[in-house]
Amino acid sequence: MSTTAPAIAASPIRVSEAIRGFLWIYGLSIVSCYLVNLWVINHPIGPWRGEEIAASFWLDNVSWQIFSAWWACFFVVCGFWPFAGIKDTTVRGVVVVAASWILGWCSAKLIFVIGPGADGIFPLVGTTWFLLAFFCFAGGGFLAAKLPPRRQFFIYLVLFAGLTYLITHSSVKWVPAWWFPFLLVGLATGTLPYLTRGLQQPGKAVVIMATLFAVAAGCFQLSAAAGLWDFNTSPISSFWSMGHFTSDSFWLLCFMTATSINYAMPIITHNWPFSTIPMPWGGLLACAFYLVLDVIVASMLVKLIGPVFGSMEELLTYAYMGVNWSLVIPLVFGLGLQEPYLWAGQKTPGEWDDVA
């Protein structure tokens, strides 16, 4: 008796999974953000007292949850070690989330314990995420891919800690994270893997990250023309002359909104309807759509300051909390990634190296 493997769907419409993913990701984002804000206002991570809390609680929220997301992704790229022995995906996911939030709080707290304080938050966040992205997301774990998960875990941990120390204690100070939303949408839509198909590692990682910096540079020019970016400002390190967002923080809101949309939405919708259009046009169209959507959503959210959100600081926490769950729900729990599908013209799900 022979069995035939089920056919892989081409450009599928999976409405129920998209709705379920949307509710889980953004429902958890709202609930967890409310609880985290409540906690850090009453138990600040930083040395905030009195009126300082209202001005700085958002830094505690953002640093806690983004380090938590970093740890969750770190477990994923290391084969879920040391939790790989837990076979039930849901149980393992809950354990990973709990561990990542505990480690995330400890990481955020350590910034104030060891010295750099609030000025060290974004240098440490940006640099650690760059290293994880270069070696593991864009790099596919090229440095230790053939090693067992346990060794990957310790090798990458030492590597990232050492390189972070070197960068943050040099004149460079940090690797700005402005490329991050473009990485998310580029990977989630498959556009970056398609454009770098056939390249060997670490060349692929170098090309991907260089592409992201180039796209970010173009974004700065457009943002400056719109009055949302100031090229004369360089608040963290004079090494980077790319400027900084303006004092109204709308550019930062767009950035944070993008991090909460650009991975989750393409994944849970399986890139429909863009996956019906052959690459590279389908991928580029998808990227453009989500980047425009980021600005639209941010523009809508900013109007809720007053009626819904008490301040821009509070809004920033809600805008950024989605990045945690938009990564955790698909990568840790598998929602949106369990059923393979083919993009128009694709031969192997999730793979472009076998396409001319």
Side-chain angles (χ1 to χ4, degrees):
M1 180 179 179
S2 62
T3 58
T4 303
I8 298 174
S11 307
I13 306 175
R14 295 168 179 165
V15 178
S16 60
E17 189 168 6
I19 293 174
R20 189 166 74 254
F22 184 90
L23 293 175
W24 271 112
I25 291 169
Y26 297 108
L28 285 170
S29 296
I30 293 171
V31 172
S32 61
C33 192
Y34 174 80
L35 293 175
V36 169
N37 279 342
L38 194 64
W39 180 265
V40 297
I41 287 172
N42 289 280
H43 306 280
I45 295 176
W48 326 122
R49 296 292 182 271
E51 295 180 356
E52 292 179 332
I53 295 176
S56 302
F57 76 93
W58 73 279
L59 284 172
D60 286 353
N61 179 307
V62 167
S63 58
W64 184 1
Q65 67 92 4
I66 199 60
F67 277 124
S68 299
W70 188 94
W71 279 105
C73 290
F74 185 66
F75 291 133
V76 171
V77 299
C78 294
F80 287 104
W81 194 90
F83 311 112
I86 304 174
K87 301 305 180 184
D88 186 280
T89 302
T90 302
V91 175
R92 184 184 65 196
V94 171
V95 173
V96 167
V97 168
S100 69
W101 278 94
I102 292 171
L103 289 168
W105 185 92
C106 293
S107 300
K109 188 67 175 179
L110 193 62
I111 295 175
F112 297 96
V113 172
I114 64 177
D119 291 339
I121 291 175
F122 288 113
L124 287 168
V125 167
T127 303
T128 52
W129 273 99
F130 169 79
L131 295 171
L132 184 64
F134 177 80
F135 286 100
C136 299
F137 292 165
F142 68 87
L143 196 64
K146 296 182 180 180
L147 299 179
R150 175 174 57 85
R151 291 197 62 201
Q152 290 182 24
F153 184 95
F154 288 108
I155 286 173
Y156 281 127
L157 195 61
V158 171
L159 176 68
F160 295 163
L163 289 179
T164 298
Y165 179 85
L166 288 175
I167 292 171
T168 57
H169 286 74
S170 70
S171 61
V172 177
K173 290 297 183 186
W174 71 321
V175 181
W178 310 134
W179 47 267
F180 192 51
F182 307 111
L183 173 72
L184 295 178
V185 75
L187 292 181
T189 61
T191 307
L192 285 172
Y194 175 82
L195 294 176
T196 57
R197 68 195 185 284
L199 286 175
Q200 300 300 309
Q201 295 290 8
K204 178 176 286 192
V206 172
V207 172
I208 286 177
M209 299 310 296
T211 301
L212 296 176
F213 281 118
V215 172
C219 180
F220 298 152
Q221 294 292 336
L222 293 174
S223 300
L228 304 174
W229 190 265
D230 182 4
F231 279 109
N232 296 317
T233 305
S234 185
I236 294 178
S237 170
S238 58
F239 178 89
W240 303 95
S241 59
M242 63 180 61
H244 207 64
F245 55 85
T246 52
S247 58
D248 61 4
S249 295
F250 182 74
W251 197 96
L252 181 61
L253 176 63
C254 289
F255 169 84
M256 293 185 169
T257 302
T259 60
S260 297
I261 290 176
N262 288 3
Y263 191 79
M265 297 306 294
I267 292 296
I268 65 177
T269 60
H270 298 90
N271 278 297
W272 190 89
F274 307 104
S275 56
T276 63
I277 306 170
M279 286 285 191
W281 308 115
L284 293 173
L285 184 61
C287 291
F289 171 82
Y290 286 111
L291 293 175
V292 171
L293 181 63
D294 299 335
V295 178
I296 292 174
V297 172
S299 299
M300 295 172 61
L301 287 174
V302 79
K303 297 181 185 301
L304 297 178
I305 298 177
V308 177
F309 303 105
S311 63
M312 173 62 85
E313 288 77 15
E314 183 181 12
L315 174 54
L316 291 174
T317 64
Y318 280 91
Y320 210 30
M321 183 62 73
V323 67
N324 192 315
W325 295 110
S326 70
L327 291 167
V328 165
I329 294 300
L331 295 177
V332 176
F333 292 94
L335 201 154
L337 296 173
Q338 292 172 327
E339 285 190 73
Y341 69 95
L342 292 171
W343 198 292
Q346 193 175 32
K347 298 177 181 179
T348 308
E351 178 63 56
W352 287 105
D353 283 339
D354 55 359
V355 175

